[in-house]
Amino acid sequence: MSRKYLIAGNWKMNKTATEAVDLIEEVKSLVGNQSSVQVCVCPSFTSLAKASELVEESQLLLGAQDMNAESSGAFTGEISAEMLRDLYVSFVILGHSERRQFFGETNHSVNKKILAAVENNLKPIYCIGETLEERETEKTLDVVGSQVREGLESFPSQSIENLVLAYEPVWAIGTGKTATDEMAQEVHAYIRKVLTDIFGESSASKIRILYGGSMKPENAAGLLAQEDVDGGLIGGASLTARAFSGIVEAALNA
Ligand code: PGA
């Protein structure tokens, strides 16, 4: 089964809409004309409207960093799936560890968002991963297994090709520490096994599993060469066009 690589840039709470225009233009000129690797940028909500105009007529895709599970109503400050679709957003990052840590998100609450996203034809990038303490006490596979099972409860099998997972060890995010190629492959293979238990082998083989956590041009080739690593979710290195496109190049050469 050949899965097309996806390289997604998670800009987090960085870049004004004005700054986003410059960065997207640069990314577009460096890697926006090819379709062998899918490339997605996920700026802040405030930049999505401008970004959607800019990525039109290029191969770049647009993603959001979160959304509410409800479709509309009295939820001050929140953004719905329909609002994202209206801006031609394709992907939405859900359950990022920073949202779990700082905003109280759980497998259960993220599950509701995932189901709402696919119902609205958005492709969820569902983030999972263990903390340092969980790794040191050898709980990694248990933790990740529960995140997959609980976060994907009732996931409709007809939407399987829209599902993306991102394995992001919490201790590797923004720290400069990366999982070794072997560590990443071990967990990715386990995630695919759990997905096989849930959805069957044929469906599980179609789901892309990204690696995230201090991925950069220098370590991307080794990680992307692993059998079950189907791309990257990039934080820090997505904030400069050169570093981000360096990772896309690594995927193009993988
Ligand atoms: P990082 O972030 O690349 O800066 O480690 C990855 C992420 O949080 O998605």
Side-chain angles (χ1 to χ4, degrees):
M1 174 79 216
S2 71
R3 296 175 292 267
K4 191 181 266 202
Y5 283 114
L6 169 63
I7 304 295
N10 173 12
W11 293 8
K12 310 193 179 182
M13 197 172 71
N14 294 292
K15 307 281 179 192
T16 62
T18 313
E19 291 164 343
V21 169
D22 292 343
L23 181 51
I24 290 174
E25 290 290 13
E26 273 184 83
V27 171
K28 208 163 101 171
S29 71
L30 290 167
V31 291
N33 285 325
Q34 57 74 41
S35 55
S36 310
V37 167
Q38 270 190 339
V39 181
C40 167
V41 288
C42 307
S44 304
F45 291 131
T46 51
S47 300
L48 287 174
K50 268 192 184 160
S52 69
E53 288 166 24
L54 291 175
V55 300
E56 221 186 342
E57 290 174 26
S58 82
Q59 300 292 332
L60 291 187
L61 297 165
L62 198 56
Q65 299 174 18
D66 184 33
M67 55 163 249
N68 194 282
E70 301 296 331
S71 53
S72 65
F75 301 100
T76 302
E78 292 297 282
I79 304 278
S80 71
E82 195 186 335
M83 293 171 185
L84 297 178
R85 283 301 307 164
D86 186 51
L87 294 175
Y88 303 102
V89 168
S90 307
F91 291 94
V92 57
I93 298 169
L94 293 174
H96 190 280
S97 67
E98 287 149 18
R99 296 217 54 91
R100 293 175 188 261
Q101 186 182 348
F102 301 125
F103 302 99
E105 298 205 6
T106 62
N107 295 339
H108 180 67
S109 65
V110 178
N111 172 250
K112 290 191 186 158
K113 295 185 178 194
I114 292 173
L115 300 183
V118 289
E119 221 167 88
N120 286 279
N121 279 323
L122 287 167
K123 300 179 170 70
I125 301 178
Y126 174 39
C127 301
I128 55 178
E130 81 287 3
T131 61
L132 184 59
E133 191 201 336
E134 287 161 347
R135 176 157 285 269
E136 283 174 349
T137 50
E138 296 179 11
K139 293 196 185 114
T140 298
L141 299 185
D142 282 349
V143 167
V144 166
S146 306
Q147 289 171 329
V148 174
R149 283 194 190 86
E150 292 171 21
L152 297 180
E153 209 178 307
S154 308
F155 188 91
S157 51
Q158 74 271 16
S159 299
I160 210 79
E161 293 192 32
N162 284 343
L163 176 63
V164 178
L165 271 78
Y167 169 58
E168 302 202 301
V170 177
W171 49 268
I173 295 178
T175 58
K177 289 185 198 147
T178 324
T180 62
D181 301 344
E182 294 73 25
M183 277 156 97
Q185 171 55 26
E186 184 200 7
V187 181
H188 281 232
Y190 180 73
I191 293 168
R192 202 171 305 284
K193 184 188 165 302
V194 177
L195 292 171
T196 303
D197 291 346
I198 304 172
F199 299 110
E201 194 174 342
S202 158
S203 294
S205 71
K206 295 187 182 120
I207 301 171
R208 288 178 292 185
I209 308 172
L210 316 183
Y211 171 80
S214 298
M215 198 170 187
K216 42 189 184 270
E218 297 76 31
N219 59 26
L223 288 159
L224 294 169
Q226 304 305 308
E227 190 183 338
D228 289 293
V229 177
D230 307 312
L233 183 56
I234 322 298
S238 70
L239 296 175
T240 61
R242 201 144 287 287
F244 186 58
S245 54
I247 298 172
V248 176
E249 303 284 345
L252 283 165
N253 294 327

